[in-house]
């Protein structure tokens, strides 16, 4: 018998939305309160789940030690992950943008400093505009960098726009829309085709259900 599919769920802001979507798809997962268990199962015991930091999910899925996962397109583009993306789950919708201080005019012509958690995506974007920039890689709270003078602009996610607004910043340009994707290891897609296709159909029915 084929081993149960092992699926990675993203810790953090996508976790509740992912569990909610799975519930609607008939996959009930209840991560125990404060539990330190690394692996959990759904109620029907058809799948095994592991909760990981979002940025690690494509690494595990590409390697094949985890069959599938839920991951934001921001991370997939940044890591240039070689995985199958059979379905846009339409959750975690936001945008990757260039933002800067609301009161300042920023010209890409001078060698501006760009603070971001997405150095490769930012470098690609500014290269496409023939703009020479210095990328400053940060791990979080990126909005503070222009306020403290570490950078001129940021490349970061905007969901409600509240963080930018409350810190006197504005969107200068949108780089791309972002949403969560179902990702599947390329080999698992073939050798576990039946299980993977069932999983895709379960999600598909919910994501593209008519209201
Ligand atoms: C993300 C993002 C922005 C914020 C945008 O940060 O990096 O800081 O959310 O959301 P908003 O437009 O709704 O205000 P996150 O909370 O994931 O934490 P981080 O800054 O530590 O990465």
């Amino acid at each position: 018998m084929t081993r149960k599919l092992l699926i990675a769920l993203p810790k953090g802001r996508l976790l509740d939305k992912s569990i909610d979507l799975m519930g609607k798809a008939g996959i009930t997962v209840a991560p125990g309160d404060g539990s330190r268990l690394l692996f959990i199962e759904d109620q029907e015991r058809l799948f095994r789940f592991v909760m990981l930091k979002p940025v690690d999910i494509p690494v595990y899925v590409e390697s094949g030690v985890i069959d599938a996962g839920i991951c934001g397109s921001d991370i997939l583009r940044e890591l240039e992950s070689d995985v199958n993306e059979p379905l846009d789950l339409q959750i975690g919708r936001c945008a990757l943008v260039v933002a800067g201080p609301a009161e300042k005019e920023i010209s890409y012509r001078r060698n501006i400093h760009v603070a971001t958690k997405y150095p490769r995506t930012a470098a690609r974007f500014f290269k496409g505009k023939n703009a020479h920039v210095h990328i400053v890689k940060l791990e979080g709270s990126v909005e503070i960098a222009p306020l403290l003078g570490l950078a001129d602009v940021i490349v970061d996610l905007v969901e409600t726009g509240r963080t930018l607004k409350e810190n006197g910043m504005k969107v200068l340009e949108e780089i791309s829309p972002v949403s969560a994707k179902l990702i599947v290891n390329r080999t698992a897609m073939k050798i576990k085709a039946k299980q993977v296709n069932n999983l895709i159909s379960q999600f598909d029915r919910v994501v593209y259900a008519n209201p």
Side-chain angles (χ1 to χ4, degrees):
M1 206 183 95
T2 331
R3 181 170 63 82
K4 284 178 193 174
L5 277 191
L6 180 57
I7 302 171
L9 299 180
K11 287 181 183 171
R13 59 167 61 201
L14 262 183
L15 184 62
D16 286 348
K17 288 175 186 150
S18 303
I19 288 176
D20 184 52
L21 185 72
M22 289 198 304
K24 289 179 185 150
I27 306 167
T28 313
V29 182
D33 295 336
S35 159
R36 296 290 169 102
L37 273 178
L38 294 176
F39 294 100
I40 53 174
E41 288 185 324
D42 57 310
Q43 267 176 11
E44 289 73 30
R45 303 190 154 203
L46 296 173
F47 307 99
R48 282 194 314 153
F49 297 91
V50 58
M51 276 175 283
L52 294 173
K53 234 181 134 169
V55 72
D56 292 334
I57 290 179
V59 180
Y60 278 98
V61 173
E62 187 174 333
S63 79
V65 297
I66 290 182
D67 300 307
I70 294 178
C71 185
S73 55
D74 53 328
I75 293 171
L76 295 169
R77 300 293 90 79
E78 175 65 17
L79 299 183
E80 298 179 349
S81 308
D82 184 18
V83 292
N84 255 302
E85 293 175 27
L87 203 60
D88 186 327
L89 297 174
Q90 317 262 342
I91 55 171
R93 284 171 170 283
C94 52
L96 190 67
V97 304
V98 184
E103 305 304 327
K104 243 184 182 173
E105 281 297 309
I106 304 281
S107 163
Y108 295 165
R109 275 192 216 115
R110 56 188 187 89
N111 282 357
I112 56 168
H113 286 68
V114 181
T116 186
K117 289 179 278 186
Y118 305 92
R120 289 162 88 176
T121 310
R124 266 200 313 271
F125 175 75
F126 285 105
K127 193 172 172 207
K129 291 187 164 284
N130 285 324
H132 295 278
V133 299
H134 302 280
I135 305 283
V136 184
K137 166 84 164 71
L138 295 177
E139 295 296 336
S141 303
V142 175
E143 290 87 355
I144 210 156
L147 305 180
L148 294 176
L150 182 70
D152 301 290
V153 298
I154 62 171
V155 165
D156 200 15
L157 296 181
V158 174
E159 191 178 353
T160 61
R162 196 173 154 193
T163 312
L164 285 183
K165 195 164 177 227
E166 289 188 3
N167 290 290
M169 297 175 71
K170 65 175 180 191
V171 173
L172 301 174
E173 225 175 323
E174 179 169 328
I175 297 178
S176 64
V178 169
S179 58
K181 310 271 184 183
L182 175 67
I183 61 169
V184 181
N185 172 266
R186 292 204 179 280
T187 309
M189 197 89 194
K190 291 179 197 143
I191 64 173
K192 297 183 181 178
K194 196 172 165 209
Q195 288 166 285
V196 169
N197 286 332
N198 282 343
L199 179 71
I200 295 170
S201 316
Q202 274 175 283
F203 276 127
D204 195 88
R205 273 199 294 276
V206 177
V207 173
Y208 296 102
N210 290 322

